[in-house]
Amino acid sequence: MFYTADRAEFAEGTFLPEEQSLIEGAAREIGRLLERMEAGEDRKKLEEQVRRADRLATIGQLAAGVAHELNEPLGNILGFAQLIEKTEGMGEQVGLDLKKIIDAALQGRQIIKNLLLFSRQAPAIRKPLDVNALALECQTLFSARCAKGEIALGLQLADSPALIQADASQLKQVLVNLALNAIQAMPAGGALTLRTSIDEMSGRVVLSVIDTGIGMGEEIRRRIFDPFFTTKDVGEGTGLGLSVVHGIVSAHDGDIHVESEPGRGSTFSIAFPRCRDLTASGECKP
Ligand code: ADP
């Protein structure tokens, strides 16, 4: 606060005591107003988080119910089709048709497995896992595919072992899903980076999958974790990849952070509680 015109300085300073207390009163009011606004924003964010978590949990329960119901008839279709397959003297066309039935049933089973993973109903075996090793494995897995798609695949690993307590096959699924999305987002080539880091402050291990692909706007970003939400053509995507990622990461007490800009690319970062030390029997120290 200041005077717009020059004024003589008072012994007390620039302002008279009455003015001083008026200014302090105004400052207090403004402070309160700002606090209220911040609290309001925090509450809104929290409400949104709860709403989303609620919605995902409900969809998860529903999906798990449907998945269990479908498992049995699908198992029958597969079992009997495989039985018929063993019949001798079957025409060639019948054999081909049968193979289609079996393939479709197997695909259905994979979708069910994904649904159960998403709803955290699949049993997990957690052991200490080095996320650096996981990223390395993923690099090997995708190197040929990236080379074919003109995608430069980079690896930036944390210096020390990035240990977490996790189910190795579920975590691999997370990384594979994220990497596949990244590759699909770069149809004209680009760069895919797998990065691991250790956040000492929060005691978390962070795994990031960074692409320079098509990115996404806010409209899409808000819905990416919803089951069956996809912007891809039939056969390209089922819309379950990120729902599965979300289910697995939450079950591991992790969280996901997404940054994306249309035309520039996306970064998916997932953070897990770090396992600092191992016990003599090779378990994570609590
Ligand atoms: P799917 O890949 O089968 O479509 P996902 O659940 O994995 O299902 O992804 C949902 C949607 O999120 C995708 O269809 C796409 O629109 C968007 N998406 C996911 N990852 C990326 C990415 N790396 N870049 C741009 N869009 C992405």
Side-chain angles (χ1 to χ4, degrees), residues 184-202:
Q184 284 181 321
M186 297 185 283
L192 167 60
T193 310
L194 307 176
R195 181 191 294 159
T196 64
S197 61
I198 294 165
D199 185 355
E200 295 286 351
M201 286 277 284
S202 63

PDB file of all heavy atoms in Angstrom, residues 184-202:
ATOM      1  N   GLN A 184       1.657 -47.013 -29.552  1.00  0.00           N
ATOM      2  CA  GLN A 184       0.493 -46.757 -30.415  1.00  0.00           C
ATOM      3  C   GLN A 184       0.246 -45.264 -30.603  1.00  0.00           C
ATOM      4  O   GLN A 184      -0.360 -44.855 -31.573  1.00  0.00           O
ATOM      5  CB  GLN A 184      -0.754 -47.425 -29.820  1.00  0.00           C
ATOM      6  CG  GLN A 184      -0.771 -48.933 -30.034  1.00  0.00           C
ATOM      7  CD  GLN A 184      -2.022 -49.571 -29.453  1.00  0.00           C
ATOM      8  OE1 GLN A 184      -2.494 -49.188 -28.391  1.00  0.00           O
ATOM      9  NE2 GLN A 184      -2.563 -50.560 -30.145  1.00  0.00           N
ATOM     10  N   ALA A 185       0.731 -44.468 -29.641  1.00  0.00           N
ATOM     11  CA  ALA A 185       0.531 -43.013 -29.754  1.00  0.00           C
ATOM     12  C   ALA A 185       1.557 -42.369 -30.694  1.00  0.00           C
ATOM     13  O   ALA A 185       1.512 -41.168 -30.927  1.00  0.00           O
ATOM     14  CB  ALA A 185       0.612 -42.370 -28.368  1.00  0.00           C
ATOM     15  N   MET A 186       2.501 -43.187 -31.199  1.00  0.00           N
ATOM     16  CA  MET A 186       3.528 -42.627 -32.092  1.00  0.00           C
ATOM     17  C   MET A 186       3.540 -43.354 -33.440  1.00  0.00           C
ATOM     18  O   MET A 186       4.533 -43.980 -33.806  1.00  0.00           O
ATOM     19  CB  MET A 186       4.907 -42.732 -31.420  1.00  0.00           C
ATOM     20  CG  MET A 186       4.995 -41.929 -30.136  1.00  0.00           C
ATOM     21  SD  MET A 186       6.619 -41.890 -29.395  1.00  0.00           S
ATOM     22  CE  MET A 186       6.707 -43.504 -28.649  1.00  0.00           C
ATOM     23  N   PRO A 187       2.428 -43.260 -34.194  1.00  0.00           N
ATOM     24  CA  PRO A 187       2.367 -44.009 -35.452  1.00  0.00           C
ATOM     25  C   PRO A 187       3.425 -43.551 -36.458  1.00  0.00           C
ATOM     26  O   PRO A 187       3.811 -44.312 -37.347  1.00  0.00           O
ATOM     27  CB  PRO A 187       0.952 -43.719 -35.974  1.00  0.00           C
ATOM     28  CG  PRO A 187       0.497 -42.506 -35.246  1.00  0.00           C
ATOM     29  CD  PRO A 187       1.212 -42.478 -33.935  1.00  0.00           C
ATOM     30  N   ALA A 188       3.895 -42.306 -36.311  1.00  0.00           N
ATOM     31  CA  ALA A 188       4.900 -41.820 -37.267  1.00  0.00           C
ATOM     32  C   ALA A 188       6.295 -41.824 -36.645  1.00  0.00           C
ATOM     33  O   ALA A 188       7.186 -41.125 -37.113  1.00  0.00           O
ATOM     34  CB  ALA A 188       4.509 -40.416 -37.730  1.00  0.00           C
ATOM     35  N   GLY A 189       6.473 -42.581 -35.583  1.00  0.00           N
ATOM     36  CA  GLY A 189       7.785 -42.634 -34.934  1.00  0.00           C
ATOM     37  C   GLY A 189       7.920 -41.583 -33.851  1.00  0.00           C
ATOM     38  O   GLY A 189       7.026 -40.759 -33.647  1.00  0.00           O
ATOM     39  N   GLY A 190       9.043 -41.628 -33.144  1.00  0.00           N
ATOM     40  CA  GLY A 190       9.256 -40.681 -32.046  1.00  0.00           C
ATOM     41  C   GLY A 190      10.228 -41.263 -31.049  1.00  0.00           C
ATOM     42  O   GLY A 190      11.114 -42.041 -31.425  1.00  0.00           O
ATOM     43  N   ALA A 191      10.046 -40.911 -29.785  1.00  0.00           N
ATOM     44  CA  ALA A 191      10.951 -41.431 -28.750  1.00  0.00           C
ATOM     45  C   ALA A 191      10.146 -41.940 -27.565  1.00  0.00           C
ATOM     46  O   ALA A 191       9.193 -41.299 -27.118  1.00  0.00           O
ATOM     47  CB  ALA A 191      11.904 -40.328 -28.298  1.00  0.00           C
ATOM     48  N   LEU A 192      10.557 -43.113 -27.102  1.00  0.00           N
ATOM     49  CA  LEU A 192       9.930 -43.699 -25.916  1.00  0.00           C
ATOM     50  C   LEU A 192      11.018 -43.836 -24.850  1.00  0.00           C
ATOM     51  O   LEU A 192      12.063 -44.431 -25.093  1.00  0.00           O
ATOM     52  CB  LEU A 192       9.349 -45.079 -26.271  1.00  0.00           C
ATOM     53  CG  LEU A 192       8.924 -45.977 -25.105  1.00  0.00           C
ATOM     54  CD1 LEU A 192       7.844 -45.321 -24.262  1.00  0.00           C
ATOM     55  CD2 LEU A 192       8.410 -47.320 -25.620  1.00  0.00           C
ATOM     56  N   THR A 193      10.780 -43.234 -23.708  1.00  0.00           N
ATOM     57  CA  THR A 193      11.770 -43.316 -22.636  1.00  0.00           C
ATOM     58  C   THR A 193      11.172 -43.994 -21.423  1.00  0.00           C
ATOM     59  O   THR A 193      10.073 -43.650 -20.984  1.00  0.00           O
ATOM     60  CB  THR A 193      12.236 -41.893 -22.237  1.00  0.00           C
ATOM     61  OG1 THR A 193      12.589 -41.193 -23.421  1.00  0.00           O
ATOM     62  CG2 THR A 193      13.443 -41.949 -21.301  1.00  0.00           C
ATOM     63  N   LEU A 194      11.915 -44.959 -20.897  1.00  0.00           N
ATOM     64  CA  LEU A 194      11.518 -45.603 -19.639  1.00  0.00           C
ATOM     65  C   LEU A 194      12.468 -45.056 -18.584  1.00  0.00           C
ATOM     66  O   LEU A 194      13.675 -45.172 -18.717  1.00  0.00           O
ATOM     67  CB  LEU A 194      11.672 -47.118 -19.733  1.00  0.00           C
ATOM     68  CG  LEU A 194      10.986 -47.802 -20.923  1.00  0.00           C
ATOM     69  CD1 LEU A 194      11.306 -49.288 -20.936  1.00  0.00           C
ATOM     70  CD2 LEU A 194       9.486 -47.588 -20.860  1.00  0.00           C
ATOM     71  N   ARG A 195      11.912 -44.444 -17.557  1.00  0.00           N
ATOM     72  CA  ARG A 195      12.772 -43.816 -16.554  1.00  0.00           C
ATOM     73  C   ARG A 195      12.408 -44.294 -15.154  1.00  0.00           C
ATOM     74  O   ARG A 195      11.234 -44.397 -14.808  1.00  0.00           O
ATOM     75  CB  ARG A 195      12.607 -42.302 -16.631  1.00  0.00           C
ATOM     76  CG  ARG A 195      13.478 -41.559 -15.629  1.00  0.00           C
ATOM     77  CD  ARG A 195      13.106 -40.101 -15.552  1.00  0.00           C
ATOM     78  NE  ARG A 195      13.396 -39.391 -16.779  1.00  0.00           N
ATOM     79  CZ  ARG A 195      12.818 -38.245 -17.126  1.00  0.00           C
ATOM     80  NH1 ARG A 195      11.914 -37.701 -16.348  1.00  0.00           N
ATOM     81  NH2 ARG A 195      13.147 -37.658 -18.244  1.00  0.00           N
ATOM     82  N   THR A 196      13.438 -44.593 -14.376  1.00  0.00           N
ATOM     83  CA  THR A 196      13.166 -44.925 -12.978  1.00  0.00           C
ATOM     84  C   THR A 196      13.908 -43.924 -12.107  1.00  0.00           C
ATOM     85  O   THR A 196      14.988 -43.459 -12.469  1.00  0.00           O
ATOM     86  CB  THR A 196      13.661 -46.346 -12.607  1.00  0.00           C
ATOM     87  OG1 THR A 196      15.079 -46.373 -12.734  1.00  0.00           O
ATOM     88  CG2 THR A 196      13.057 -47.408 -13.484  1.00  0.00           C
ATOM     89  N   SER A 197      13.326 -43.578 -10.999  1.00  0.00           N
ATOM     90  CA  SER A 197      14.018 -42.663 -10.082  1.00  0.00           C
ATOM     91  C   SER A 197      13.548 -42.935  -8.665  1.00  0.00           C
ATOM     92  O   SER A 197      12.512 -43.577  -8.450  1.00  0.00           O
ATOM     93  CB  SER A 197      13.744 -41.210 -10.471  1.00  0.00           C
ATOM     94  OG  SER A 197      12.373 -40.958 -10.395  1.00  0.00           O
ATOM     95  N   ILE A 198      14.347 -42.451  -7.730  1.00  0.00           N
ATOM     96  CA  ILE A 198      13.983 -42.648  -6.330  1.00  0.00           C
ATOM     97  C   ILE A 198      13.770 -41.273  -5.717  1.00  0.00           C
ATOM     98  O   ILE A 198      14.646 -40.411  -5.791  1.00  0.00           O
ATOM     99  CB  ILE A 198      15.093 -43.411  -5.587  1.00  0.00           C
ATOM    100  CG1 ILE A 198      15.184 -44.827  -6.167  1.00  0.00           C
ATOM    101  CG2 ILE A 198      14.803 -43.464  -4.093  1.00  0.00           C
ATOM    102  CD1 ILE A 198      16.425 -45.562  -5.800  1.00  0.00           C
ATOM    103  N   ASP A 199      12.586 -41.069  -5.183  1.00  0.00           N
ATOM    104  CA  ASP A 199      12.298 -39.800  -4.534  1.00  0.00           C
ATOM    105  C   ASP A 199      12.576 -39.970  -3.034  1.00  0.00           C
ATOM    106  O   ASP A 199      11.762 -40.548  -2.316  1.00  0.00           O
ATOM    107  CB  ASP A 199      10.830 -39.425  -4.797  1.00  0.00           C
ATOM    108  CG  ASP A 199      10.492 -38.052  -4.241  1.00  0.00           C
ATOM    109  OD1 ASP A 199      11.375 -37.466  -3.578  1.00  0.00           O
ATOM    110  OD2 ASP A 199       9.364 -37.587  -4.462  1.00  0.00           O
ATOM    111  N   GLU A 200      13.742 -39.471  -2.635  1.00  0.00           N
ATOM    112  CA  GLU A 200      14.173 -39.674  -1.243  1.00  0.00           C
ATOM    113  C   GLU A 200      13.190 -39.026  -0.267  1.00  0.00           C
ATOM    114  O   GLU A 200      12.895 -39.568   0.798  1.00  0.00           O
ATOM    115  CB  GLU A 200      15.571 -39.083  -1.020  1.00  0.00           C
ATOM    116  CG  GLU A 200      16.675 -39.767  -1.816  1.00  0.00           C
ATOM    117  CD  GLU A 200      17.040 -41.137  -1.261  1.00  0.00           C
ATOM    118  OE1 GLU A 200      16.569 -41.476  -0.165  1.00  0.00           O
ATOM    119  OE2 GLU A 200      17.788 -41.870  -1.942  1.00  0.00           O
ATOM    120  N   MET A 201      12.703 -37.839  -0.654  1.00  0.00           N
ATOM    121  CA  MET A 201      11.813 -37.085   0.230  1.00  0.00           C
ATOM    122  C   MET A 201      10.569 -37.897   0.608  1.00  0.00           C
ATOM    123  O   MET A 201      10.220 -38.019   1.774  1.00  0.00           O
ATOM    124  CB  MET A 201      11.353 -35.800  -0.458  1.00  0.00           C
ATOM    125  CG  MET A 201      12.405 -34.740  -0.533  1.00  0.00           C
ATOM    126  SD  MET A 201      12.463 -33.830   1.008  1.00  0.00           S
ATOM    127  CE  MET A 201      11.013 -32.808   0.809  1.00  0.00           C
ATOM    128  N   SER A 202       9.913 -38.429  -0.428  1.00  0.00           N
ATOM    129  CA  SER A 202       8.656 -39.138  -0.153  1.00  0.00           C
ATOM    130  C   SER A 202       8.893 -40.626   0.077  1.00  0.00           C
ATOM    131  O   SER A 202       7.958 -41.353   0.409  1.00  0.00           O
ATOM    132  CB  SER A 202       7.690 -38.940  -1.323  1.00  0.00           C
ATOM    133  OG  SER A 202       8.248 -39.513  -2.477  1.00  0.00           O
TER     134      SER A 202
END
